Amino acid sequence: RAAARGLRLSAAARSAMPSWVIDRYGHNEVLRFTSGMALPAIRFPNEVVIRVHAASLNPIDLIMRNGYGATALNMKRDPLKLNSTDSEFPLTLGRDASGEVMECGLSVSYFKPGDKVWTAIPPWKQGTLSEFVVASGNEVSFKPKCLSHTEAASLPYVGLTAWSAINKVGGLNKENCAGKRVLIIGASGGVGTFAVQLVKAWGAHVTAVCSNDASPLVKKLGADDVIDYRSGNLEEQLRALPLFDFILDNVGGSTEKWALDLLKKWSGATYVTLVTPFLINMDRLGVADGMLRTGVTIGSKTVKHLCKGVHYRWAFFMPSGPYLDEIAELVESGKIHPVIDQVFSFSEVPEAFLKLEGGHARGKTVINVIDKK
């Protein structure tokens, strides 16, 4: 097996791999490089082992490093409390990967060793800042041939998050999106840059909110109108425009108090936010009370806004190989392009976290795990 994986042939190398892990929650000082992380093993017949060529960072990696969402994620990792230890450590962060299939479970027929693939790993699994990662076969898709591994690693997590919000929750697709007025708040980050391209590819009129220095990028991606949130009162600027059919909010906070008033009433118009209290409720209140509080919150807000003639929704990342297949088609046709802010080497993972933590990124922060493209 070691030889098939292309590893070095020493006894230590056959059982270990380089990885960036954390042993406790905290700030950047908790990141630790190790060359002795246990190789991931296939535990279920539908799993594949992927050699990671490139990975990327997302805001969820920052908040997971800090311990946000640990209660819910640990419950998902071990719902029946079968593990002999209660610790999730050492924990590997990173959700995106582009690489090569090295090994397949017995029920995997769609992929074979040597296939070039991309994937987004759910946050309750060990992440991609490692030489190898295990993924379920239904979370994996063939990498677009027109992209390098570095380019491909920038898209899966943000692409699936935007796809979940716009298509699965928001109900927009290539058949019904043409001519609709779409507002994207927070358009210059990873999810925002993907969302602009996706709804534009489906024929929508796109209004994007970002800072002035990001305006050229967002316009290049296809936005029809770009609003600088620093140039004046954002609410007043948006109220001066025609009403919208769909709003994607990547920012949250006070925006939610007035953004729904920008929607067309009684027309099926929908507001979708990616900023939800679900994980923090469970962290603060525990699993049962946290889920109850979350249910009451989303239920009351949904009913409140439905009575006003608009739909209010929450959206989350959804791992899905089939959705990545559809995204790959858009990439291959030239309708979706990767937007990369900066590329770091594998030895520079702490610097990459600091870059992401600084905010104001224009696209994605990518980690080149190995030198191959």
Side-chain angles (χ1 to χ4, degrees), residues 5 25 27 30 33 44 59 84 93 107 133 160 162 208 219 241 251 264 277 280 293 306 317 321:
R5 287 174 170 173
Y25 297 119
H27 297 291
V30 302
F33 176 78
F44 300 99
S84 58
L93 302 176
S107 69
V133 69
L160 290 172
K219 288 180 180 177
L241 301 175
V251 176
K264 298 175 182 177
I280 197 169
R293 174 70 63 85
L306 191 60
F317 160 77

Coordinates of all heavy atoms in Angstrom, one line a residue, residues 5 25 27 30 33 44 59 84 93 107 133 160 162 208 219 241 251 264 277 280 293 306 317 321:
R5 N 1.0 4.3 -2.9 CA 0.8 5.7 -2.6 C 1.9 6.6 -3.0 O 1.9 7.8 -2.8 CB 0.5 5.9 -1.1 CG -0.9 5.4 -0.6 CD -1.0 5.4 0.9 NE -2.4 5.1 1.3 CZ -2.7 5.0 2.5 NH1 -1.8 5.1 3.5 NH2 -4.0 4.8 2.9
Y25 N -7.6 24.8 21.1 CA -8.2 25.9 20.4 C -7.5 27.2 20.9 O -7.1 27.3 22.0 CB -9.7 26.0 20.7 CG -10.4 24.8 20.1 CD1 -11.2 24.0 20.9 CD2 -10.4 24.5 18.8 CE1 -11.9 22.9 20.4 CE2 -11.1 23.4 18.2 CZ -11.8 22.6 19.1 OH -12.5 21.5 18.6
H27 N -5.4 31.0 19.2 CA -5.0 31.9 18.0 C -3.9 31.2 17.2 O -3.8 30.0 17.3 CB -4.6 33.2 18.6 CG -5.7 34.0 19.3 ND1 -6.8 34.5 18.6 CD2 -5.9 34.3 20.6 CE1 -7.6 35.1 19.5 NE2 -7.1 35.0 20.7
V30 N -1.4 28.1 18.1 CA -1.8 26.7 18.3 C -1.5 25.9 17.1 O -1.5 24.6 17.2 CB -3.3 26.6 18.7 CG1 -3.6 27.4 19.9 CG2 -4.2 27.0 17.5
F33 N 3.2 22.2 13.1 CA 3.6 21.3 12.0 C 4.1 20.0 12.5 O 4.9 20.0 13.5 CB 4.7 21.9 11.1 CG 5.1 21.0 10.0 CD1 4.4 20.7 8.8 CD2 6.3 20.2 10.2 CE1 4.8 19.9 7.9 CE2 6.8 19.4 9.2 CZ 6.0 19.2 8.0
F44 N -14.7 3.0 5.5 CA -16.0 2.6 4.9 C -15.8 2.4 3.4 O -14.9 3.0 2.7 CB -17.0 3.7 5.1 CG -17.3 4.1 6.5 CD1 -16.7 5.1 7.1 CD2 -18.1 3.3 7.3 CE1 -16.9 5.4 8.5 CE2 -18.3 3.5 8.6 CZ -17.7 4.6 9.2
P59 N -12.9 31.2 5.9 CA -13.2 31.8 7.3 C -13.5 30.7 8.3 O -13.2 30.9 9.5 CB -14.4 32.7 7.0 CG -14.2 33.2 5.6 CD -13.6 32.0 4.9
S84 N -12.9 6.1 22.5 CA -12.3 5.9 23.8 C -11.9 7.2 24.5 O -11.7 7.3 25.7 CB -11.2 4.9 23.8 OG -10.2 5.4 22.9
L93 N -7.0 21.2 10.1 CA -7.9 22.2 9.5 C -7.8 22.1 8.0 O -7.0 21.4 7.4 CB -7.7 23.6 10.0 CG -7.8 23.8 11.5 CD1 -7.4 25.2 12.0 CD2 -9.2 23.4 12.0
S107 N -16.6 -0.2 -2.6 CA -17.8 0.2 -3.4 C -17.7 1.4 -4.3 O -18.6 1.9 -4.9 CB -19.0 0.5 -2.4 OG -18.7 1.7 -1.6
V133 N -5.7 12.9 2.5 CA -7.0 13.1 3.2 C -7.9 12.1 2.7 O -7.8 11.6 1.6 CB -7.5 14.6 2.9 CG1 -8.0 14.7 1.5 CG2 -8.7 14.9 3.9
L160 N -19.6 25.4 -3.2 CA -20.7 24.6 -2.7 C -21.5 25.5 -1.7 O -22.7 25.3 -1.6 CB -20.1 23.4 -2.0 CG -19.6 22.3 -3.0 CD1 -18.9 21.2 -2.2 CD2 -20.7 21.8 -3.9
A162 N -22.0 28.8 -1.9 CA -22.8 29.7 -2.7 C -23.9 28.9 -3.4 O -25.0 29.3 -3.5 CB -21.9 30.4 -3.7
A208 N -23.6 44.3 -6.7 CA -22.6 43.8 -5.7 C -22.2 44.9 -4.8 O -22.0 46.0 -5.2 CB -21.4 43.3 -6.5
K219 N -16.5 44.0 -10.9 CA -17.1 44.3 -12.3 C -16.5 43.4 -13.3 O -17.3 42.9 -14.2 CB -16.7 45.8 -12.6 CG -17.5 46.8 -11.8 CD -17.0 48.2 -12.3 CE -17.8 49.3 -11.5 NZ -17.3 50.7 -11.8
L241 N -32.2 52.2 -5.5 CA -32.2 51.3 -6.7 C -33.6 50.5 -6.7 O -34.3 50.5 -5.7 CB -31.1 50.2 -6.6 CG -29.7 50.8 -6.5 CD1 -28.7 49.6 -6.3 CD2 -29.3 51.6 -7.8
V251 N -22.5 39.1 5.0 CA -22.0 39.9 6.1 C -22.8 39.8 7.4 O -22.2 39.7 8.5 CB -22.0 41.4 5.6 CG1 -21.5 42.3 6.7 CG2 -21.1 41.6 4.3
K264 N -38.7 42.7 -3.5 CA -40.1 42.8 -4.1 C -41.1 42.0 -3.2 O -40.8 40.9 -2.9 CB -40.1 42.3 -5.5 CG -39.2 43.1 -6.4 CD -39.2 42.4 -7.8 CE -38.2 43.1 -8.8 NZ -38.2 42.5 -10.1
P277 N -26.7 31.9 13.8 CA -26.3 31.6 15.2 C -26.3 30.2 15.6 O -26.2 29.8 16.8 CB -27.4 32.4 16.0 CG -28.6 32.2 15.2 CD -28.2 32.3 13.8
I280 N -23.0 28.9 17.4 CA -22.7 29.6 18.6 C -23.8 29.3 19.7 O -23.5 29.2 20.9 CB -22.5 31.1 18.3 CG1 -21.9 31.8 19.5 CG2 -23.9 31.8 18.0 CD1 -21.4 33.2 19.3
R293 N -33.2 26.8 20.7 CA -33.1 28.3 20.5 C -32.9 28.6 19.0 O -33.6 29.5 18.5 CB -31.8 28.8 21.3 CG -31.5 30.3 21.0 CD -32.6 31.2 21.6 NE -32.6 31.1 23.0 CZ -31.8 31.8 23.8 NH1 -30.9 32.6 23.4 NH2 -31.9 31.6 25.1
L306 N -42.5 36.3 6.2 CA -43.5 35.8 5.3 C -44.8 36.6 5.4 O -45.4 36.8 4.3 CB -43.8 34.3 5.7 CG -44.6 33.5 4.6 CD1 -43.9 33.5 3.3 CD2 -44.8 32.1 5.2
F317 N -22.9 25.5 4.1 CA -22.1 24.6 3.2 C -22.7 23.2 3.1 O -23.1 22.7 4.2 CB -20.7 24.6 3.7 CG -19.9 23.4 3.2 CD1 -19.4 23.4 1.9 CD2 -19.7 22.3 4.0 CE1 -18.7 22.3 1.4 CE2 -19.0 21.2 3.5 CZ -18.5 21.2 2.2
G321 N -20.4 15.9 -4.3 CA -19.7 15.7 -5.5 C -20.5 16.0 -6.8 O -20.0 16.6 -7.7

